[in-house]
Amino acid sequence: MKPNIRRGLIVACTAMTLTAVADTAVTVPEASATLSSPLERQTNPKLPKVHYTNQTKIIKDCPIHWNYPREAVNDQTWPAGPSTGSKIVGVRYTTAHYALVRDGQRQRAQTAPWWGWIEKDCLLDKVARKFPRVERPRDRASQPDPEDYAPRLDDWWATGGNNIPKRVDITPSHRPIKGQVSVGTAGTIRNGPNKFAIGNVGPGWTFQIARSQCRRLDGQPYKPSQWIFGYSPDARRWGWVQAAHLPACTS
């Protein structure tokens, strides 16, 4: 009986040893799998830039207005259309009759302003669109883009910084006026600091502000890149203008 017991013990011990070896063989790869691979250690690549505007041809000569045309607005314009240097524009968003567009020709030449309002009837593709967030998205200026590739956006809607459409408000809340400064150079009016363009200011225009002096809360001059809230009587528009266009605010 003892030899049988000895053999049984040997078999049992051998089985336990094999089981332990087998367990070790399984757990080692699992442990190594928890270590980050070179691919996992890489940072995620940046997403492609958002394609904000819908490029389209201007089908007839039309003026582009500095500000939304209405009564008592200082109606500054520049020419655009087939017979001008501004033949193609990018639609940012639309209203019932007008489109807020970017004139790439003027932007490349750094001739401010390059954002402005044009009648939608002047455009081949009269809508804003949401393009896929890919490198070099197809944007056909010579024909309307396919709806299944770049769906049109309703009036007052534009693509935001995360490529999600947002409603554009061109009438920011009013504030009490306490002072005013003179505009030095042409600049864009925005509905928030570095947000959607809604109009423009021109040299020599008055910009009314919500403070008696154009200074930051700490009493220091603004940096040229900072934004200042106020009202432009010439544009008949409340909004933010960059301090770079308001010399009294940076000196």
Side-chain angles (χ1 to χ4, degrees):
M1 294 297 294
K2 289 182 180 180
N4 291 338
I5 293 173
R6 188 178 296 112
R7 283 197 297 272
L9 290 172
I10 293 171
V11 170
C13 290
T14 303
M16 290 174 63
T17 303
L18 290 174
T19 302
V21 171
D23 289 343
T24 303
V26 170
T27 56
V28 168
E30 290 177 355
S32 64
T34 62
L35 301 175
S36 59
S37 65
L39 182 61
E40 290 171 329
R41 286 195 295 267
Q42 292 177 359
T43 57
N44 292 329
K46 287 185 178 180
L47 289 171
K49 292 182 179 180
V50 174
H51 192 69
Y52 288 110
T53 62
N54 172 31
Q55 301 296 304
T56 185
K57 282 185 176 180
I58 303 174
I59 57 178
K60 59 182 179 180
D61 287 351
C62 291
I64 296 181
H65 304 263
W66 284 34
N67 290 286
Y68 193 90
R70 54 179 175 161
E71 187 178 354
V73 166
N74 186 347
D75 193 21
Q76 302 288 317
T77 64
W78 72 86
S83 69
T84 74
S86 300
K87 297 176 173 60
I88 294 175
V89 291
V91 179
R92 189 73 175 94
Y93 60 90
T94 60
T95 69
H97 302 292
Y98 288 89
L100 190 284
V101 297
R102 178 175 59 192
D103 186 334
Q105 175 72 17
R106 287 175 67 92
Q107 184 177 15
R108 286 187 291 272
Q110 289 295 290
T111 303
W114 46 80
W115 291 101
W117 295 92
I118 189 171
E119 289 187 51
K120 291 199 294 188
D121 287 344
C122 302
L123 304 176
L124 176 63
D125 195 8
K126 310 177 193 308
V127 298
R129 294 186 180 276
K130 179 183 181 295
F131 287 84
R133 196 168 187 177
V134 296
E135 293 289 349
R136 298 181 181 179
R138 299 193 311 272
D139 189 352
R140 304 170 179 175
S142 59
Q143 59 182 297
D145 295 282
E147 293 292 336
D148 59 353
Y149 179 76
R152 69 181 61 201
L153 299 176
D154 291 336
D155 289 343
W156 301 110
W157 285 82
T159 304
N162 52 6
N163 210 37
I164 296 176
K166 298 179 180 179
R167 184 170 176 81
V168 181
D169 180 9
I170 68 170
T171 57
S173 299
H174 302 179
R175 299 180 188 177
I177 294 172
K178 297 182 180 179
Q180 65 181 40
V181 294
S182 181
V183 178
T185 55
T188 304
I189 304 174
R190 306 268 176 163
N191 70 346
N194 206 31
K195 299 295 184 181
F196 294 103
I198 58 176
N200 295 286
V201 292
W205 292 12
T206 296
F207 190 63
Q208 300 172 344
I209 58 177
R211 298 179 185 175
S212 57
Q213 290 187 326
C214 196
R215 288 291 182 269
R216 302 184 315 196
L217 290 176
D218 61 4
Q220 296 299 310
Y222 285 92
K223 295 179 180 179
S225 60
Q226 291 184 299
W227 295 83
I228 299 165
F229 183 79
Y231 177 74
S232 169
D234 289 272
R236 291 189 61 197
R237 186 71 61 200
W238 289 87
W240 278 260
V241 172
Q242 208 162 25
H245 306 294
L246 308 171
C249 301
T250 58
S251 59

